[in-house]
Amino acid sequence: MDTSFIFFMYLLLVNAVAFSLMGIDKRKARKNEYRIPEKNLFMWAIAGGSVGSITGMYFFRHKTRHPSFQIGMPLILLVQIYICIRFLLPVYALI
């Protein structure tokens, strides 16, 4: 299998999980159940699911008032974009 295909599938899976976790946590918040720790939500974003996390935040209207999420999630996304441009694009330019 091609490395870029595996990387794309990884990002797809991580973003789907991050999006789902936002929805699950929102449902748990409404039912007053045990919640998903914020550090877990951030870890999924750091693992590559920042787009899914941000999309889930606004789709489910969850954690949108928390400054740590308003600033943290877009900041994680910007760092990931920088890393892709800085380190991954030069590799693909050589191919």
Side-chain angles (χ1 to χ4, degrees), residues 42 45-46 50-51 54 57 67-83:
F42 273 106
I46 290 169
S50 57
V51 173
I54 293 169
M57 268 176 49
S68 60
F69 280 83
Q70 284 180 334
I71 296 167
M73 291 295 177
L75 187 62
I76 292 169
L77 177 60
L78 288 175
V79 169
Q80 290 171 343
I81 290 170
Y82 171 78
I83 289 171

Side-chain angles (χ1 to χ4, degrees), residues 2 15 18 23 31 34 40-41 43 48 50 64 66-68 71 86:
D2 188 22
N15 279 285
K31 292 183 176 185
Y34 180 74
N40 290 356
L41 298 175
M43 288 307 297
S50 57
T64 54
H66 293 76
S68 60
I71 296 167
R86 177 73 171 95

Side-chain angles (χ1 to χ4, degrees), residues 7-56:
F7 182 67
F8 174 74
M9 293 308 291
Y10 168 79
L11 286 179
L12 190 65
L13 177 66
V14 170
N15 279 285
V17 170
F19 179 84
S20 299
L21 286 176
M22 284 292 182
I24 292 167
D25 195 46
K26 177 67 173 191
R27 188 182 72 227
K28 287 183 176 215
R30 285 184 176 162
K31 292 183 176 185
N32 234 1
E33 294 178 355
Y34 180 74
R35 306 278 302 279
I36 298 171
E38 289 184 356
K39 68 177 183 176
N40 290 356
L41 298 175
F42 273 106
M43 288 307 297
W44 279 98
I46 290 169
S50 57
V51 173
S53 294
I54 293 169
T55 306

